[in-house]
């Protein structure tokens, strides 16, 4: 066992003395040492309770004959970081999370690792770490928050960002806003829609790294603690069988993940994280040409079966009651849209859905009656995004699937948000927010503020928004992100001027600015990038190392 390197033999007597300082006894040195990477903190609602999840997982480890050791992992709350400089740090922490876990695991000789994430960048950061380390590993998330309720209506975090726009439009009072504020997020857990955290926790089931229920059992349920305890037991089984992440995180598993992504209508952020995880597993998630093409290829044959918030009114708890991810798998399996033979940490993927039942066909549409015949995400290409961009097609109003309008150009999220709140955006406009990409941001900020304000003002079905930054999974409307190349790298988005006509065809998978080639060349000769927004600290280093959104915003190879 790896732990022999830190606690066996005469030469390790000093090491054992340090273990004994923490209360270890000699008998424990003969048992597997299981690291538990837990993102517990008191600043993220989804992480507030992870100490109880970690304790339950530790109990499972002890039941199975192992020694659990819990260690901390950082995490940013995207909701709290939204709309100010803090959001620059969110995506950037994904690499820090993977790096710090690598340091902790390699330094302390763990035999296997249990990963306990919950929110946006923590899930992919941990999946990246698990693939990189390739030690026996299992995942259990903290689970989703229950939805808020008011007057029989479901409330989510999206409700709050849209309410800000409603106040700006004069259709809601500040007193009504405060009442929603009190009810929208009722307790711990990852925000209750199909936002990035829940998308990634559900995708983890499809990747085979977690037990069924990982993405949908509510945070506050005893069933979530039982799942954590079973995960602790499973960690010892995975160690005994020597099942390693790279044996699970295969191309077959990623195709299953993409199929689930399309069926659920997941966050566009999955288009960043899946390529980054695959990179750590040792291959490019590109299909025959590129990841955008692979995404569209899977979308073309995979129907959208669920419309959870923000695309619809249902919350994650509704998906759990309808049968959870296994019930979605069972629908997809009817036409072999997933591969049940894919290896998981508990058997094969088919084991998760062989007895699954779809208990609510309004929440999980049957395969023969989908919300749409194609998946929830779409990748677009054109002169404005030759390397691609991404939109949550399932959350776009039908009338906005094809749109042409004048560009309203902003070099920051803040400038665009101010213009929206001041009534400076009109129906038909195409808002362009640039210099918010991985390098130009730096950090590729999520922008739920502008999209929420547009929705609150009743403009989400009248205005398009494109950016080299990205959008929260809580976003709805014709919000097109990840435009690549980004402005800071000389992308055409950096050359657009106020009033240029932009043509968007989501069903046709195209996005173009109507400029002649000679005009583009003239502008390119005159173009100068904006000075870096940050020139010190971690973000300055991040901007130098990070690659394009089209490749998952991973660090460039030396």
């Amino acid at each position: 066992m790896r732990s022999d390197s830190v606690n066996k033999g005469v030469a390790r007597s000093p090491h054992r003395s340090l273990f004994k300082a923490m209360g270890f006894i000699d008998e424990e040195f003969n048992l597997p040492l299981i690291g538990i990477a837990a993102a517990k903190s008191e600043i993220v609602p989804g992480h507030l309770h992870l100490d109880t999840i970690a304790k339950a997982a530790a109990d499972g480890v002890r039941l199975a004959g192992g020694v659990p050791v819990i260690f901390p992992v950082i995490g940013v709350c995207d909701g709290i970081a939204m709309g100010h400089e803090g959001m620059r740090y969110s995506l950037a922490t994904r690499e820090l999370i993977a790096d710090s876990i690598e340091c902790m695991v390699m330094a302390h000789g763990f035999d296997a690792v249990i990963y306990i994430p919950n929110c946006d960048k923590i899930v992919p950061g941990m999946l990246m770490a698990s693939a990189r380390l390739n030690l026996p590993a299992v995942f259990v998330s903290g689970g989703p928050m229950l939805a808020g309720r008011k007057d029989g209506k479901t409330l989510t975090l999206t409700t709050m960002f849209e309410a800000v726009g409603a106040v700006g439009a004069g259709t809601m009072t500040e007193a009504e806003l405060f009442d929603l504020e009190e009810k929208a997020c009722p307790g711990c857990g990852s925000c209750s829609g199909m936002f990035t955290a829940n998308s990634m926790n559900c995708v983890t089931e499809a990747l085979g790294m977690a037990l069924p229920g990982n993405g949908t059992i509510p945070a506050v349920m005893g069933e979530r603690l039982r799942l954590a305890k079973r995960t602790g037991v499973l960690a010892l089984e995975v160690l005994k069988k020597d099942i390693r992440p790279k044996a699970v995180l295969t191309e077959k598993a990623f195709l299953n993940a993409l199929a689930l992504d399309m069926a659920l209508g997941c966050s566009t952020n999955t288009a960043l994280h899946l390529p980054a995880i695959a990179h750590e597993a040792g291959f490019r998630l590109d299909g025959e040409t590129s990841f955008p093409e692979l995404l569209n290829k899977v979308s073309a044959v995979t129907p959208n079966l669920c419309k959870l918030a923000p695309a619809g009114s249902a919350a994650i708890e509704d998906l759990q009651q309808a049968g959870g991810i296994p019930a979605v798998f069972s629908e997809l399996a009817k036409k072999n849209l997933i591969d049940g033979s894919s290896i998981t940490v508990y058997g094969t993927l088919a084991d998760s859905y062989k007895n699954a039942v779809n208990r609510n066909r309004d929440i999980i549409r049957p395969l023969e009656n989908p919300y749409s015949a194609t998946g929830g995400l779409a990748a677009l290409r054109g002169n404005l995004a030759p390397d691609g961009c991404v939109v949550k097609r399932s959350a776009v109003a039908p009338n906005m699937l094809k749109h042409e309008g004048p560009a309203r150009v902003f070099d920051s999220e803040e400038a665009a948000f101010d213009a929206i709140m001041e009534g400076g955006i009109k129906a038909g406009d195409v808002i362009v927010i640039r210099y918010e990409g991985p390098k130009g941001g730096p950090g590729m900020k999520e922008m739920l503020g502008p999209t929420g304000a547009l929705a609150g003002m009743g403009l989400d079905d009248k205005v398009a928004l494109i950016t080299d930054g990205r959008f929260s999974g809580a976003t709805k409307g014709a919000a097109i992100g990840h435009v690549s190349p980004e402005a800071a790298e000389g992308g055409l988005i950096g050359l657009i001027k106020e009033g240029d006509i932009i043509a968007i065809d989501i069903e046709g998978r195209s996005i173009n600015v109507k400029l002649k080639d000679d005009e583009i060349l003239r502008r390119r000769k005159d173009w100068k990038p904006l000075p870096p927004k940050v020139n010190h600290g971690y973000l300055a280093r991040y901007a130098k190392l990070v690659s394009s959104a089209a490749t998952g915003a991973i660090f460039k190879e030396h």
Side-chain angles (χ1 to χ4, degrees):
M1 294 192 294
R2 288 188 73 251
S3 56
D4 289 353
S5 65
V6 297
N7 63 23
K8 290 291 191 302
V10 172
R12 296 297 179 255
S13 181
H15 303 63
R16 289 193 296 275
S17 70
L18 291 169
F19 276 103
K20 289 179 177 180
M22 297 181 285
F24 281 69
I25 59 176
D26 289 331
E27 287 81 357
E28 290 179 299
F29 298 135
N30 295 317
L31 301 174
L33 192 64
I34 310 299
I36 301 179
K40 156 72 180 180
S41 77
E42 296 183 354
I43 192 60
V44 186
H47 296 185
L48 187 66
H49 65 307
L50 293 190
D51 53 345
T52 63
I53 303 296
K55 182 181 181 299
D59 288 344
V61 169
R62 290 200 180 278
L63 279 172
V67 178
V69 179
I70 300 170
F71 63 90
V73 177
I74 65 166
V76 167
C77 176
D78 280 24
I80 294 174
M82 196 75 67
H84 57 89
E85 67 176 356
M87 181 45 70
R88 291 178 181 161
Y89 288 87
S90 173
L91 180 61
T93 63
R94 188 187 69 181
E95 319 309 311
L96 284 176
I97 288 163
D99 290 350
S100 62
I101 291 172
E102 176 191 352
C103 294
M104 289 295 288
V105 172
M106 295 305 293
H108 297 108
F110 296 121
D111 297 304
V113 186
I114 298 172
Y115 294 88
I116 304 181
N118 217 28
C119 293
D120 296 34
K121 308 310 162 299
I122 298 84
V123 188
M126 288 187 175
L127 283 164
M128 289 164 68
S130 71
R132 183 188 303 174
L133 290 165
N134 202 31
L135 293 171
V138 288
F139 278 67
V140 59
S141 78
M145 183 186 294
L146 294 174
R149 305 286 177 181
K150 176 176 167 59
D151 300 329
K153 294 182 178 179
T154 298
L155 308 178
T156 70
L157 185 64
T158 303
T159 309
M160 294 311 306
F161 279 92
E162 292 178 0
V164 170
V167 172
T171 58
M172 180 180 289
T173 67
E174 289 192 28
E176 290 171 324
L177 177 69
F178 178 78
D179 187 46
L180 288 177
E181 178 185 317
E182 293 276 291
K183 298 179 174 64
C185 299
C188 66
S190 48
C191 296
S192 57
M194 189 51 75
F195 311 148
T196 304
N198 293 324
S199 295
M200 288 306 302
N201 283 326
C202 291
V203 161
T204 302
E205 290 189 45
L207 289 173
M209 292 299 294
L211 287 166
N214 179 71
T216 56
I217 298 170
V220 296
M221 306 297 285
E223 188 178 358
R224 172 62 55 178
L225 295 176
R226 296 197 298 274
L227 182 71
K229 196 172 290 187
R230 288 197 297 272
T231 301
V233 172
L234 179 62
L236 273 295
E237 295 177 15
V238 167
L239 175 62
K240 182 179 180 180
K241 295 176 181 177
D242 196 30
I243 300 173
R244 297 181 180 249
K246 286 186 178 180
V248 176
L249 296 171
T250 62
E251 292 189 55
K252 188 189 299 185
F254 280 94
L255 289 174
N256 285 337
L258 276 171
L260 178 69
D261 194 335
M262 297 305 160
L264 294 177
C266 288
S267 164
T268 52
N269 282 312
T270 59
L272 282 176
H273 302 320
L274 288 174
I277 298 161
H279 174 75
E280 294 289 354
F283 58 89
R284 289 176 63 91
L285 194 60
D286 282 352
E288 296 177 359
T289 52
S290 68
F291 180 71
E293 270 64 40
L294 178 62
L295 187 152
N296 283 339
K297 182 179 179 180
V298 176
S299 179
V301 297
T302 310
N304 179 213
L305 303 181
C306 301
K307 276 195 179 290
L308 305 166
S313 60
I316 299 296
E317 64 199 73
D318 300 314
L319 177 59
Q320 168 64 13
Q321 291 168 4
I325 300 306
V328 180
F329 286 154
S330 70
E331 293 292 343
L332 294 175
K334 290 177 182 177
K335 290 190 177 179
N336 298 315
L337 295 174
I338 57 169
D339 190 333
S341 69
S342 187
I343 295 170
T344 72
V345 290
Y346 54 83
T348 66
L349 194 67
D351 293 330
S352 72
Y353 62 83
K354 61 185 177 183
N355 297 316
V357 177
N358 183 353
R359 302 187 187 93
N360 188 331
R361 294 192 164 204
D362 292 325
I363 301 298
I364 305 172
R365 286 277 186 94
L367 201 67
E368 58 272 16
N369 182 34
Y371 283 103
S372 67
T374 57
L377 298 186
L380 315 183
R381 270 189 161 162
N383 68 356
L384 189 51
D387 293 341
C389 56
V390 184
V391 62
K392 185 182 247 190
R393 189 198 58 76
S394 60
V396 179
N399 65 293
M400 289 299 296
L401 291 171
K402 193 169 186 177
H403 179 75
E404 189 171 302
R408 302 298 314 281
V409 183
F410 304 93
D411 288 339
S412 70
E413 175 197 9
E414 292 82 0
F417 182 76
D418 289 345
I420 294 167
M421 294 300 290
E422 291 166 5
I425 302 300
K426 306 301 181 186
D429 287 346
V430 178
I431 301 169
V432 177
I433 304 178
R434 62 192 183 189
Y435 291 99
E436 293 291 8
K439 177 179 178 178
M444 204 180 183
K445 288 158 64 177
E446 281 186 349
M447 288 176 271
L448 183 53
T451 57
L454 288 170
M457 291 178 166
L459 290 171
D460 59 302
D461 61 348
K462 302 175 181 67
V463 170
L465 195 161
I466 67 172
T467 181
D468 54 8
R470 61 196 177 92
F471 295 109
S472 165
T475 295
K476 67 180 181 181
I480 300 165
H482 307 191
V483 171
S484 301
E486 62 175 295
E489 294 278 23
L492 184 55
I493 190 172
L495 307 182
I496 293 174
K497 293 183 178 180
E498 192 84 4
D500 287 346
I501 301 301
I502 295 175
I504 300 165
D505 184 355
I506 293 174
E507 299 291 34
R509 305 299 194 257
S510 68
I511 183 166
N512 292 282
V513 58
K514 291 192 167 182
L515 292 174
K516 293 182 179 179
D517 291 344
D518 57 352
E519 173 62 15
I520 293 173
L521 287 172
R522 187 188 66 76
R523 291 188 189 184
R524 193 170 295 284
K525 288 178 181 178
D526 296 336
W527 175 78
K528 293 181 180 178
L530 291 181
K533 293 179 181 178
V534 179
N535 55 22
H536 66 282
Y538 175 61
L539 284 180
R541 297 198 305 275
Y542 180 85
K544 292 177 181 178
L545 293 171
V546 71
S547 70
S548 166
T551 56
I554 59 176
F555 279 174
K556 298 171 184 174
E557 298 291 340
H558 292 298

